[in-house]
Amino acid sequence: MTTVLTPASPLTAADRCDRCGAQAYLRVVLASGGELLFCAHHGRKFEPELKKISVEIQDETGRLGTTPATASDDER
């Protein structure tokens, strides 16, 4: 997926996928002025169409492979 990172606020656990309600890891800013949020699965599924209608894609899927620094040792 083509990624454009901007000073937009980071996605949080409160940001939900517009398709399924899972945690969002992609913010897609549309040429029409709106925005859509997607989980990694739906972001990949709709990638070709999203590239055609977006002006910016904030991709935070890299966070999926990391353990938060605040996780306890038994969670690591």
Side-chain angles (χ1 to χ4, degrees):
M1 179 156 288
T2 303
T3 305
V4 177
L5 294 177
T6 63
S9 59
L11 295 168
T12 68
D15 294 308
R16 310 312 286 180
C17 176
D18 289 326
R19 183 71 178 168
C20 69
Q23 183 172 348
Y25 287 93
L26 287 103
R27 176 180 284 128
V28 180
V29 179
L30 304 173
S32 62
E35 75 174 24
L36 297 170
L37 300 176
F38 289 101
C39 63
H41 166 78
H42 285 112
R44 284 188 300 270
K45 181 177 179 179
F46 299 120
E47 178 181 6
E49 293 82 12
L50 293 174
K51 285 182 175 181
K52 293 175 188 175
I53 61 171
S54 68
V55 293
E56 180 179 331
I57 298 175
Q58 178 182 350
D59 184 354
E60 297 185 10
T61 56
R63 293 183 9 218
L64 289 169
T66 61
T67 303
T70 57
S72 63
D73 288 336
D74 62 321
E75 291 180 308
R76 294 177 188 246

